[in-house]
């Protein structure tokens, strides 16, 4: 169903949490958390935490989670959604982390690394705040050609709004090279660095509804809201069509491909 009223309810962070987190970021968070062998009481940093899905799910393993992000709107949703959980959230720039040396047993950074303007500085900061023996798990999207979700948005947005409107989506896939990811962690002084290409098969039971939510949670949401009904429906249908065989007329099943880095700080 297309949202015919097209009121942009909530702010961008709330729409991200409502429309994108269940389908995209929750399955990935579960995958990344399973890669860290947590002991109860471990201190976890969820770096670039957004609305905090990694931190929230990790508390199920008995960890004390701290989420850090530069976006106050994301942090507000993270705090609201984590009531009663052993998770706190605070402003934190990855390039200059506001934490003491050797504060954390583990760091997970889900789809944040590609946005850091100085990646070596951010990865060095992570090493600094990890305890000796601490583990880091990062994931960052691979190229557009491997990610129908981002490809569909780039194709549709460039058609309706021009190439400039695709920049934010292209940035999601802006650090796709596994060798560069490996070198980044090796050069920072991490040990046991392994980069794996992981493809999760994501599912939206109602593909049309998901695309509608996607439109509301994208950086061009305001421009979409300003379209008339016929234009919006055309954009929605176009984007759904861009998923090709991933859409079976009801559900969307699409591969989502990322480089997952596991690394540790030497004892
Ligand atoms: C795609 S979201 C991922 C959010 C979250 N990790 C998740 O899985 O839902 C990217 C996040 O990176 C954050 N971010 C970008 N640059 C950052 C920086 N320099 N330091 C900390 N967070 C940053 C953004 O504010 C945003 O919340």
């Amino acid at each position: 169903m297309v949202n015919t009223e097209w009121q942009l309810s909530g702010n961008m962070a709330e729409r991200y949490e409502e429309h994108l987190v269940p389908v995209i970021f929750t399955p990935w968070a579960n995958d990344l958390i399973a890669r860290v062998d947590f002991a109860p009481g471990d201190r976890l940093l969820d770096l670039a935490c957004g609305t905090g899905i990694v931190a929230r799910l990790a508390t199920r393993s008995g960890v004390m989670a701290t989420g850090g992000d530069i976006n106050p709107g994301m942090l507000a949703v993270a705090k609201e959604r984590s009531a009663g959980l052993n998770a706190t959230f605070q402003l934190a720039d990855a390039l200059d982390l506001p934490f003491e040396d050797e504060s954390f047993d583990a760091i997970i950074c889900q789809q944040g690394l590609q946005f850091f303007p100085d990646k070596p500085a951010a990865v060095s900061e992570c090493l600094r705040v990890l305890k000796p023996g601490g583990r880091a798990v990062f994931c960052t999207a691979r190229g557009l050609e491997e990610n129908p979700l981002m490809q569909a948005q780039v194709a549709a947005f460039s058609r309706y709004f021009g190439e400039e409107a695709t920049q934010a989506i292209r940035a999601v896939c802006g650090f796709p090279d596994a060798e560069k990811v490996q070198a980044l962690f090796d050069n920072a002084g991490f040990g046991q660095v392994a980069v794996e290409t992981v493809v999760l098969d994501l599912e939206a039971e109602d593909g049309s509804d998901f695309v509608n939510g996607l439109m509301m949670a994208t950086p061009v949401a305001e421009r979409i809201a300003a379209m008339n009904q016929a234009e919006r429906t055309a954009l929605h249908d176009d984007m759904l069509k861009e998923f090709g065989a991933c859409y079976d007329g009801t559900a969307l099943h699409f591969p989502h491909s990322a480089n997952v880095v596991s690394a540790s700080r030497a004892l």
Side-chain angles (χ1 to χ4, degrees), residues 43-47 66 68 90 92-109 121-136 138 188 190 264-266:
R43 292 202 58 197
L44 166 70
L45 173 62
D46 175 6
L47 179 60
T66 301
Q90 68 179 84
D93 185 341
L95 276 50
D96 184 17
L97 291 173
F99 306 111
E100 302 282 319
D101 295 358
E102 303 184 8
S103 295
F104 297 99
D105 299 284
I107 298 176
I108 297 180
C109 179
V123 174
S124 291
E125 275 293 87
C126 288
L127 192 66
R128 178 183 70 75
V129 302
L130 266 182
K131 295 177 187 173
R135 293 135 294 160
F138 279 54
F190 270 94
S264 60
R265 178 170 173 171

Side-chain angles (χ1 to χ4, degrees), residues 41-224:
D42 272 357
R43 292 202 58 197
L44 166 70
L45 173 62
D46 175 6
L47 179 60
C49 64
T51 55
I53 187 61
V54 169
R56 282 182 273 149
L57 292 174
T59 61
R60 294 179 183 170
S61 307
V63 308
M64 295 187 291
T66 301
D69 200 286
I70 48 166
N71 184 323
M74 291 292 219
L75 289 167
V77 175
K79 284 178 190 165
E80 185 192 298
R81 299 287 174 124
S82 61
L85 299 178
N86 201 349
T88 58
F89 296 91
Q90 68 179 84
L91 273 175
D93 185 341
L95 276 50
D96 184 17
L97 291 173
F99 306 111
E100 302 282 319
D101 295 358
E102 303 184 8
S103 295
F104 297 99
D105 299 284
I107 298 176
I108 297 180
C109 179
Q110 160 156 287
Q111 302 295 353
L113 178 63
Q114 61 269 58
F115 305 110
F116 301 159
D118 185 342
K119 294 173 181 58
V123 174
S124 291
E125 275 293 87
C126 288
L127 192 66
R128 178 183 70 75
V129 302
L130 266 182
K131 295 177 187 173
R135 293 135 294 160
V137 174
F138 279 54
C139 90
T140 186
R142 284 176 60 85
L144 269 183
E145 66 289 352
E146 295 178 41
N147 280 296
L149 173 69
M150 282 71 100
Q151 220 174 14
Q153 292 175 80
V154 165
F157 294 160
S158 68
R159 207 171 297 136
Y160 285 79
F161 304 118
E163 187 54 29
E164 154 271 327
T166 69
Q167 294 313 309
I169 303 297
R170 288 186 185 279
V172 175
C173 296
F175 191 53
D177 186 334
E179 283 177 18
K180 288 190 178 156
V181 176
Q182 173 89 37
L184 185 64
F185 282 77
D186 284 339
N187 293 341
F190 270 94
Q192 297 176 308
V193 181
V195 181
E196 187 187 344
T197 296
V198 179
V199 183
L200 291 193
D201 289 315
L202 302 183
E203 180 188 15
E205 275 180 28
D206 184 333
S208 172
D209 192 51
F210 172 71
V211 166
N212 198 41
L214 192 58
M215 287 160 62
M216 289 199 268
T218 115
V220 288
E222 306 290 340
R223 293 174 75 171
I224 297 173

